[in-house]
Amino acid sequence: MIELDLTAQPDPTLTTAPPAHRYRLPGLLLVAVLLLAAGGAAPVLPVLWRYLGAVPAPGGPEAPFQLAGGQVYTFAAVSETERVTTAWSLAEPPRELWRKRLPARPESDLGMTGLEARPAGDAVLLGDGTRTTVVDARTGATRWTSPTSIAPLPGGRVGVVQGHQFRDDTVYDQASGEPGMLYFSATGEPHTEPPLRTDVRGVDLATGRTLWTVSAAGSVNVDVVPGDEPAVLLLSSDRLRRIDGDTGKVEASVPLPPVDGAPPMSSVLVDDLLTVSYGVDGIATAEANYSVETLERSWSRPVPKIVLEPAGCGGLICSGDRRALDVLDPRTGEARWRAPADVDLWKYGGYVLEVDVESGLPMRLVDPGTGQTQVDLAGWRAEVIGEPGRPIVLRRSLDQGASAFGVVLSRRAAIQPLGLTGGPVSDCTSDESHVVCRTDGGLRIWAYQA
C-alpha cells in the first residue's frame, strides 16, 4: 500500500494415528494390481506423486529460488557486481533452459534480497529491487531494461510503470540522518516532499515502447484488475479511474472527496472490489468499497483509530484486532463471523486459513462466508506452501527429517495425501502440479496430481 502524498512509498511430528483416508490409495493400487493379474481390464490409475529430479542451487543454501510459470529459477551472486539467473525446465529429469548474467544494482548486498522472476506471456521479468530486465522466456535473451518495477497485465503483452516528478532540491541527504517523512521515487530515491506529479505508462513488453500515459497530481496507487482483460485502477488523491490496459483510455472515473477531512490514502483488491482507505499520517479513519467494473461505491464505514494488536488479514476485509477480529462481507460491509482469538487470516482459494500467531503454524481451513471449519489441519501443521488462488499444498515433518505432503482442493474439503520426500527438505514451494524444496546442495522437484 502507498499513502497518497502522505507516507513513504516503498516501492511437528505427527502424534496421532494416521487418518483412515491415508490407506485409501494403497488399497486402490492393490485392487488394480489384483485385477490386472486376473486379466481384468482395470483402468490405469494416475500417479499422484512422482520425483522428477534435482537441480543445483549455485547461490548457496540461502540463495533465493522461484517456481513460476511452470519453470524453476535460481539466483546466484557471481561477485559484488554481477548476478546469474538460471531457468530450469520441469521435465523428467529437469534441465537447464538458459543462464543470464546481469549486473547487480549498486546498493544491493550479497543476500540478494529483492530478486524475482515474473513470467508474462512469452517474456520473463527479472526484477532486482526496482530495476527490471525483460528477457525472452525461451532463450533468456534481453529484450529491454527498465530502471523501475513493471506490473504485467493479463494477456502478457502490456506492462505498467510509474514515473514521478519531484520539486528540485528535495532529494533526502541520507548521510544527515535527519528525521521526517520520506517519499520514494519509482527508482527508490528518497525525497523530503511528495511528488508533484505521477505519470503512469503502459509499455509494450516486447520492446519497452510507451503505448499510453495517464498522469495525476501527487502520488498514486495502481492496481491490476483481476480477469482476462488488461485493465488497471488508478487511485489518486481525489479520483478513482479505470483504464484500458491496451489503449490507456479512461473507461470510468469517479471523484473521491475527503471523508471527514481525510483524503484517499491507499487501496487493496478483495475479490472483484477495491477497498479504498481514507486517512492522515498513515492512519486509516474510514474505508469504502468500489466495483472494479463500474467504480460504483457499495458501502463505507468508519475505522477505529486505535488498534492495539492488529491482525493479519490477507485477501479479506476485517475489523478489530486479534482479540476480537470480525470478517466483513465485502459487498455490504457487515460482519459475517468472528475469528478465534490470536490468529491471523489468509484467504487461499475457496478457504480462509487460520494461522496461530505465536507458533506461526496453520490451524484450520474455514468457510469464508461463515467461519465454519472445513478442514482441520491437525497433524499437518508444519507448513502451507504455494500462493493464494492455487491448490493448498501441506507439508509435515516425519522421522529422520523427511516430509510428507498433502493437498486440499476448493472442490473437496479434505486432505488428499500425495507422497513422501525420502530425505530432509526445507523452504518448499508449489504450484498447480509441482513441489520444489531445498536440500543439501540443490533443489529437489516432484510432480503431483490432485
Side-chain angles (χ1 to χ4, degrees):
M1 295 184 182
I2 302 171
E3 182 184 351
L4 305 179
D5 294 338
L6 296 174
T7 63
Q9 182 179 329
D11 256 310
T13 301
L14 184 63
T15 57
T16 59
H21 64 254
R22 288 193 59 195
Y23 301 104
R24 196 173 298 145
L25 177 59
L28 290 172
L29 292 174
L30 177 59
V31 170
V33 171
L34 292 175
L35 287 173
L36 288 173
V44 177
L45 294 174
V47 177
L48 298 185
W49 184 253
R50 188 172 82 258
Y51 178 61
L52 299 182
V55 302
E62 300 300 324
F65 69 92
Q66 255 186 289
L67 172 60
Q71 296 178 177
V72 172
Y73 298 89
T74 59
F75 305 92
V78 177
S79 67
E80 293 185 0
T81 60
E82 190 176 36
R83 291 174 174 167
V84 172
T85 300
T86 306
W88 305 86
S89 77
L90 297 180
E92 188 176 4
R95 61 183 180 84
E96 181 180 318
L97 295 175
W98 47 262
R99 186 174 300 186
K100 187 71 176 178
R101 288 178 175 262
L102 293 171
R105 67 186 190 276
E107 69 275 18
S108 65
D109 59 20
L110 292 181
M112 297 184 291
T113 57
L115 293 176
E116 65 174 350
R118 288 176 296 164
D122 61 355
V124 178
L125 281 56
L126 300 179
D128 185 358
T130 61
R131 190 182 63 197
T132 306
T133 302
V134 182
V135 304
D136 185 277
R138 185 176 58 86
T139 66
T142 299
R143 291 183 174 179
W144 59 285
T145 60
S146 169
T148 65
S149 297
I150 305 172
L153 302 186
R157 303 182 306 274
V158 180
V160 171
V161 299
Q162 296 186 40
H164 301 98
Q165 301 296 323
F166 288 88
R167 190 176 66 82
D168 292 341
D169 302 321
T170 62
V171 176
Y172 175 67
D173 181 4
Q174 300 185 53
S176 70
E178 289 290 333
M181 296 290 294
L182 293 179
Y183 308 84
F184 290 83
S185 71
T187 59
E189 184 179 57
H191 289 255
T192 57
E193 294 181 5
L196 301 173
R197 188 183 81 240
T198 300
D199 297 320
V200 179
R201 296 187 294 119
V203 295
D204 187 332
L205 289 179
T207 65
R209 179 174 63 92
T210 296
L211 303 174
W212 52 265
T213 302
V214 177
S215 300
S219 299
V220 302
N221 267 24
V222 177
D223 293 283
V224 178
V225 176
D228 298 328
E229 298 300 321
V232 296
L233 298 175
L234 175 59
L235 174 68
S236 60
S237 60
D238 63 352
R239 182 166 295 275
L240 176 62
R241 285 173 275 188
R242 178 186 168 107
I243 300 170
D244 184 286
D246 285 328
T247 66
K249 177 183 176 181
V250 178
E251 299 178 323
S253 178
V254 295
L256 299 183
V259 175
D260 294 330
M265 182 180 72
S266 60
S267 60
V268 61
L269 281 168
V270 178
D271 298 331
D272 57 351
L273 297 167
L274 185 76
T275 300
V276 176
S277 296
Y278 296 75
V280 177
D281 294 335
I283 301 176
T285 57
E287 286 181 342
N289 252 23
Y290 297 84
S291 163
V292 301
E293 296 294 334
T294 65
L295 304 190
E296 181 181 359
R297 185 162 120 173
S298 55
W299 57 266
S300 62
R301 71 180 187 99
V303 176
K305 292 183 178 181
I306 299 177
V307 177
L308 298 178
E309 297 179 278
C313 196
L316 302 163
I317 301 175
C318 300
S319 178
D321 59 21
R322 285 177 172 149
R323 299 297 178 182
L325 184 64
D326 291 324
V327 176
L328 309 186
D329 186 326
R331 301 197 174 278
T332 66
E334 299 295 326
R336 283 178 165 177
W337 50 277
R338 175 161 290 186
D342 297 323
V343 298
D344 288 330
L345 305 178
W346 308 98
K347 191 171 183 181
Y348 271 80
Y351 304 96
V352 172
L353 172 68
E354 292 183 354
V355 178
D356 182 78
V357 171
E358 290 190 6
S359 67
L361 297 178
M363 307 297 291
R364 304 186 301 157
L365 293 173
V366 305
D367 184 279
T370 66
Q372 295 298 309
T373 299
Q374 300 296 297
V375 183
D376 187 346
L377 300 181
W380 290 90
R381 291 178 178 169
E383 189 176 1
V384 174
I385 62 179
E387 298 181 2
R390 294 175 174 171
I392 301 170
V393 178
L394 307 169
R395 181 172 78 94
R396 70 163 180 240
S397 300
L398 302 176
D399 294 337
Q400 284 83 47
S403 292
F405 288 87
V407 64
V408 180
L409 305 176
S410 59
R411 64 177 183 270
R412 182 169 177 262
I415 300 173
Q416 175 179 303
L418 291 176
L420 311 177
T421 62
V425 297
S426 64
D427 296 342
C428 298
T429 188
S430 68
D431 62 11
E432 296 86 350
S433 54
H434 296 89
V435 171
V436 181
C437 295
R438 194 191 302 277
T439 61
D440 290 340
L443 307 172
R444 301 183 72 191
I445 303 170
W446 292 265
Y448 75 88
Q449 289 184 328

